[in-house]
Amino acid sequence: MEDKLKVIFIEDDPNLGLIIVLALQSKGYEVCYANTLSGIQDMIEKDRPDILLLDLEVGNQNVLDQLPFIRSKHPSLPILIASSHNEGEEITRCYEAGANHYTKKPYDIQEIDFLIRRFCKKTDTISNIISIGDYQLELSTHQLFYKQELLKVLSPKDFKLLYQLSEPLNQPVSREKLFQEIWEGKEAHDSLNNSISRLRKLLERDTTLSIDAVKGVGYILQKKTYSPHRN
């Protein structure tokens, strides 16, 4: 029998916490619940979880104060942050501190279930980084490197867009899929176009790469087998 995935879940509202605990248990997870961040280091050491699900603000504490230390001690432990905040700066801070994913409250148990299973898949040690031509994209931190040089920590939407276009390369991705996966089904044409422009600029150092529009479909991230000659 396959062992249950173990989740440490921190939520300061005990009534909401109980609802989510029961929902996670119904999905087959073992849940270790607390309504305070105090002692979270001891919980991790004692319970050896497969993943953390943490409320961003717990009482008068902010989980971002704990995250760098947790990440330094447990570099491969997946961390999901939940919050009602939707400011881009706050979301970026979560990723920079070491979160694997930021999800908006109220909790959507179907989404949480999907995220837990996604981040707890048994993978090899190099799967956290994918190569895109001369670039490397680190999935856990959203950092984009060019030949090992850090270029930028991508915003959540730019990261998701680049990931969708690169998995795999040389295959078109429809606008409908991008809207569904990144903009929650909203037809955010201007936002998509702006993200495409930013990624094109970031990827211009590798002349074998290009993001091209596919008429009537969407976009394709292509890698040519040679660098184009420039006069």
Side-chain angles (χ1 to χ4, degrees), residues 155-223:
S155 69
K157 285 185 171 58
D158 287 358
F159 165 77
K160 290 179 181 178
L161 177 58
L162 182 56
Y163 182 79
Q164 289 288 333
L165 292 174
S166 64
E167 287 292 299
L169 289 173
N170 302 318
Q171 289 192 19
V173 183
S174 70
R175 278 178 169 261
E176 289 73 16
K177 180 177 181 181
L178 295 175
F179 290 145
Q180 186 63 41
E181 296 290 336
I182 304 171
W183 282 272
E184 300 177 346
K186 299 176 183 176
E187 294 190 2
H189 294 281
D190 289 343
S191 184
L192 172 57
N193 293 339
N194 290 336
S195 286
I196 289 289
S197 296
R198 286 191 295 270
L199 292 182
R200 281 173 171 161
K201 187 169 183 61
L202 285 170
L203 299 179
E204 65 186 5
R205 295 192 187 188
D206 185 344
T207 55
T208 69
L209 292 174
S210 64
I211 300 177
D212 301 316
V214 181
K215 187 175 181 180
V217 180
Y219 291 95
I220 184 171
L221 175 55
Q222 299 190 84
K223 178 171 174 57

Side-chain angles (χ1 to χ4, degrees), residues 11-180:
E11 163 60 54
D12 63 353
D13 182 337
N15 293 323
L16 176 58
L18 177 59
I19 292 171
I20 302 304
V21 167
L22 293 175
L24 289 173
Q25 289 174 339
S26 74
K27 295 288 186 181
Y29 301 111
E30 181 180 346
V31 185
C32 306
Y33 170 70
N35 61 4
T36 175
L37 287 173
S38 301
I40 186 173
Q41 305 291 344
D42 292 336
M43 284 184 70
I44 295 172
E45 295 295 334
K46 173 177 174 289
D47 296 314
R48 313 302 296 178
D50 295 289
I51 194 166
L52 306 182
L53 174 58
L54 309 175
D55 188 10
L56 178 62
E57 295 178 343
V58 182
N60 60 358
Q61 295 180 293
N62 191 304
V63 76
L64 295 185
D65 296 330
Q66 300 268 357
L67 225 53
F69 183 75
I70 294 173
R71 181 53 73 214
S72 68
K73 297 286 287 185
H74 308 278
S76 62
L77 179 62
I79 302 173
L80 308 180
I81 302 297
S83 175
S84 56
H85 292 290
N86 57 14
E87 299 88 354
E89 182 178 351
E90 189 79 355
I91 296 171
T92 300
R93 285 181 62 216
C94 289
Y95 285 117
E96 290 176 339
N100 292 84
H101 193 83
Y102 182 98
T103 186
K104 294 178 183 177
K105 295 171 71 174
Y107 296 97
D108 182 329
I109 198 61
Q110 300 300 328
E111 179 191 22
I112 298 299
D113 179 37
F114 169 81
L115 291 171
I116 292 173
R117 296 188 185 282
R118 172 186 171 190
F119 285 106
C120 290
K121 282 182 179 177
K122 301 301 182 184
T123 56
D124 56 44
T125 55
I126 63 171
S127 64
N128 182 51
I129 297 177
I130 60 174
S131 295
I132 307 169
D134 289 333
Y135 295 85
Q136 302 81 41
L137 179 62
E138 188 167 288
L139 304 184
S140 61
T141 63
H142 296 190
Q143 293 177 322
L144 181 66
F145 297 84
Y146 175 72
K147 295 183 176 179
Q148 311 306 318
E149 172 195 350
L150 176 61
L151 287 183
K152 187 177 181 65
V153 178
L154 298 182
S155 69
K157 285 185 171 58
D158 287 358
F159 165 77
K160 290 179 181 178
L161 177 58
L162 182 56
Y163 182 79
Q164 289 288 333
L165 292 174
S166 64
E167 287 292 299
L169 289 173
N170 302 318
Q171 289 192 19
V173 183
S174 70
R175 278 178 169 261
E176 289 73 16
K177 180 177 181 181
L178 295 175
F179 290 145
Q180 186 63 41

